[in-house]
Amino acid sequence: MRYLQANGLPVPVRPLMGPAPHDVVWREATSARVRSILQNPAYAGAYVYGRRRQAPGQARAGSCRPTTIKVPIAEWEVCLPQAHPGYISWEEFMANQQRLADNTNRYDAGHAGVPRKGMALLQGIAVCGRCSRRMGLRYTGPHGDYPVYCCRADRDQTGAPLCQEVRALTVDARVEAILLEALKPDQIAIAMAALGQLDKKARQLERQWMLRRERARYDAERARRQYDAVEPENRLVARSLERAWEEKLRAAEAIEQEHDRWRRDQPLVLSADDRATLQALGQNLPQVWHAATTTAAERKRILRFIIREVVLDQKRITGHVWLKILWQTSATSEHEVQRRVHTYRGYAVLDRLRQRITELNAAGKMDKEVAEVLNQEGFTAARGCRFRGENVWLLRTRWGIATVKINGVAANPMRWPDGSYSVQGAAAAVGVTPQTIFDYLARGFLVGRQLVKSQPWQIDLTDDQIRYLRDRLQRTRRSRKEAS
């Protein structure tokens, strides 16, 4: 409608009332007029009868006339395709009707809806893996731009809790990677080779179907000739031959119907041009997908050409979202995505994480170094962020893993094997508290070192320094006593 209006293209209308009823007039396009054209089978060259009927048990408010309702195409009383030349084929008309039905956002009826501008890639095609209903969509976050797939049918219909909610961005990223991987040129080449083998087998089966159909048509034609050859006076013979002829015709018609069903179930046969187009698609699709000019709605349209629906379940595997992709070829594939959790009780690989932290701690690595190694190995914190030293310290404290030291987990000795003092040893030698030793280190009165941050101090302390510090301490105490 917008396109027709923008280009000044009117549509034909045949008014039923007015000064010139039933004459064709051209008027501005409206949504109702465009929909009427799209849903009219006459434009597909078909003659039909029974598109609408009256519902006696239903009536509009304030009217005694029964309501007129639409009848599904399969229930039309008369439907004759190719009754006259049409603008489009009957197959294209049926595809348009299916698309119009799918454009309706009715998840409960299985309609995917039109791809919209939101960030959720699986909008309309996400299915709950627990109750098999279509999953709705909502946006959260400070700016309302964080999509979440939610199955709220139980809550809306019976007041029960939500079936499940799945955060969208992580799942969408995984599906996007799977889609682009499946459409790489080498993967497309493998798929086309498989289609070629299936096509070869299909041609062999087609030969068998052709012989079977020829045999059924021959039997029906032979029965017709026998019926034509009988004399009219032989009524009993004619009846039996007519009955046999009808049986042969029914058998031939049944074989034709089976052949049509078999043809519809056969894989797509690709021409040389189709193969070249698919190879170019595999090379150009990543560039088109990631282009700044490609909108979210366009990405969803591309996705729906390849993927029919995606089943999501985040309660099947702890800490993971299980997803099952149903491709347009009717093939399926199962995948897992690690999800964000609020606490480590629901962490996906908690045992492996604990074992790795224990191993790194035993190897003498501090919390910050352990966090760097975990990030390099692909571990993520519970909320999906990178590990930091604070996260490792929290987990060590919870699991009772002691801080790594020079001497393992034992208490610091007064002096280390190399002759240097620990903080406790230096405090005892000088006659002060350990906190005073830390103060002396900060002010430069003492010189010490740590292998890495948070490791025990190794303080170089001579006898002269000990006497100097003791004398300084005595002078400080005497000055304080005199001042008081």
Side-chain angles (χ1 to χ4, degrees):
M1 178 196 69
R2 293 194 183 101
Y3 176 84
L4 295 176
Q5 290 182 356
N7 292 273
L9 299 175
V11 295
V13 179
R14 194 184 295 274
L16 300 179
M17 301 178 64
H22 307 293
D23 289 341
V24 176
V25 296
W26 295 86
R27 295 180 178 174
E28 185 181 23
T30 63
S31 178
R33 290 167 184 165
V34 172
R35 191 185 309 112
S36 176
I37 293 174
L38 291 174
Q39 295 178 344
N40 194 334
Y43 292 98
Y47 172 79
V48 302
Y49 176 78
R51 295 172 59 195
R52 294 176 178 82
R53 68 183 176 201
Q54 294 182 343
Q58 303 177 13
R60 297 179 181 177
S63 175
C64 59
R65 295 183 178 181
T67 302
T68 300
I69 60 175
K70 289 185 177 181
V71 178
I73 297 178
E75 299 178 9
W76 287 351
E77 296 182 24
V78 178
C79 181
L80 303 177
Q82 300 180 354
H84 58 271
Y87 293 98
I88 60 176
S89 64
W90 180 255
E91 290 75 14
E92 187 175 356
F93 172 78
M94 294 297 294
N96 288 341
Q97 306 315 301
Q98 182 63 40
R99 182 170 181 180
L100 289 172
D102 289 340
N103 286 346
T104 306
N105 289 321
R106 293 183 58 195
Y107 299 148
D108 55 345
H111 297 314
V114 180
R116 301 191 181 277
K117 62 181 180 180
M119 294 300 297
L121 188 62
L122 306 182
Q123 168 245 322
I125 63 173
V127 178
C128 179
R130 305 189 63 80
C131 64
S132 301
R133 297 187 180 102
R134 292 275 175 176
M135 300 187 73
L137 185 66
R138 67 182 182 89
Y139 285 84
T140 62
H143 305 289
D145 57 354
Y146 197 98
V148 178
Y149 302 117
C150 53
C151 180
R152 52 175 175 256
D154 290 340
R155 187 186 67 179
D156 294 344
Q157 296 176 9
T158 64
L162 284 173
C163 185
Q164 66 170 336
E165 286 189 337
V166 181
R167 297 181 181 272
L169 295 185
T170 305
V171 174
D172 290 353
R174 178 63 171 157
V175 173
E176 175 184 324
I178 294 171
L179 173 67
L180 296 179
E181 177 67 25
L183 294 181
K184 281 186 176 179
D186 54 347
Q187 297 293 332
I188 293 178
I190 294 174
M192 289 190 297
L195 284 177
Q197 296 178 358
L198 294 176
D199 182 34
K200 182 178 179 181
K201 295 180 180 179
R203 285 196 297 269
Q204 297 175 353
L205 293 175
E206 180 67 32
R207 171 68 178 171
Q208 301 297 325
W209 275 106
M210 183 185 69
L211 296 176
R212 186 180 176 187
R213 291 163 61 202
E214 286 182 356
R215 180 65 182 178
R217 287 196 293 265
Y218 173 79
D219 291 342
E221 179 62 20
R222 185 168 181 270
R224 184 191 65 80
R225 292 198 305 269
Q226 291 175 345
Y227 175 76
D228 291 341
V230 70
E231 294 295 335
E233 292 79 6
N234 299 328
R235 296 179 180 177
L236 294 178
V237 176
R239 289 176 183 173
S240 62
L241 292 176
E242 182 181 12
R243 188 163 46 251
W245 182 20
E246 290 179 353
E247 292 176 355
K248 298 297 184 182
L249 288 175
R250 292 193 188 97
E253 183 180 3
I255 292 176
E256 292 290 344
Q257 293 176 354
E258 293 177 5
H259 177 254
D260 291 339
R261 286 194 295 269
W262 176 80
R263 289 292 299 272
R264 287 194 297 269
D265 295 338
Q266 289 307 298
L268 179 66
V269 179
L270 299 178
S271 63
D273 294 338
D274 295 334
R275 294 174 183 268
T277 302
L278 286 174
Q279 290 286 0
L281 172 65
Q283 298 174 356
N284 299 331
L285 181 61
Q287 302 174 3
V288 174
W289 186 274
H290 295 295
T293 55
T294 304
T295 64
E298 291 170 342
R299 291 190 181 93
K300 295 175 190 178
R301 293 191 185 98
I302 295 174
L303 180 76
R304 293 184 183 188
F305 282 123
I306 312 299
I307 295 177
R308 187 179 305 172
E309 63 184 25
V310 179
V311 183
L312 304 176
D313 188 354
Q314 73 169 8
K315 297 183 179 181
R316 178 175 300 197
I317 305 174
T318 303
H320 284 90
V321 177
W322 175 85
L323 55 96
K324 179 178 180 181
I325 299 178
L326 176 61
W327 303 83
Q328 291 290 359
T329 58
S330 297
T332 60
S333 59
E334 297 183 8
H335 311 272
E336 295 177 8
V337 179
Q338 184 174 343
R339 64 182 180 89
R340 292 178 56 185
V341 293
H342 294 289
T343 64
Y344 282 96
R345 287 192 297 271
Y347 194 74
V349 288
L350 186 61
D351 294 337
R352 189 157 61 92
L353 176 63
R354 181 173 182 174
Q355 179 183 358
R356 191 62 181 136
I357 291 178
T358 304
E359 293 173 353
L360 294 173
N361 184 79
K365 294 186 179 296
M366 303 304 295
D367 294 344
K368 186 176 180 180
E369 295 176 312
V370 172
E372 293 176 354
V373 175
L374 293 177
N375 292 331
Q376 293 173 1
E377 295 179 353
F379 287 93
T380 57
R383 294 183 178 272
C385 57
R386 293 172 58 85
F387 270 103
R388 298 183 299 174
E390 294 84 349
N391 304 118
V392 177
W393 177 86
L394 176 65
L395 292 175
R396 281 197 307 100
T397 304
R398 181 178 300 175
W399 294 332
I401 302 175
T403 305
V404 64
K405 294 183 179 181
I406 300 174
N407 57 331
V409 296
N412 294 340
M414 292 298 179
R415 303 188 69 171
W416 300 106
D418 61 354
S420 60
Y421 285 83
S422 65
V423 172
Q424 294 79 7
V430 178
V432 295
T433 63
Q435 184 59 41
T436 304
I437 298 298
F438 284 117
D439 182 60
Y440 287 168
L441 289 169
R443 297 171 62 180
F445 294 157
L446 292 177
V447 177
R449 61 188 178 278
Q450 292 173 291
L451 295 179
V452 292
K453 188 178 180 180
S454 301
Q455 282 277 17
W457 282 91
Q458 295 174 267
I459 303 172
D460 296 326
L461 190 60
T462 64
D463 295 339
D464 293 339
Q465 286 178 309
I466 294 175
R467 286 193 296 269
Y468 169 75
L469 293 175
R470 285 178 177 177
D471 293 342
R472 186 179 182 280
L473 183 63
Q474 290 295 332
R475 290 195 303 270
T476 303
R477 290 174 178 173
R478 189 181 306 115
S479 299
R480 288 178 180 175
K481 181 182 293 186
E482 293 174 355
S484 62

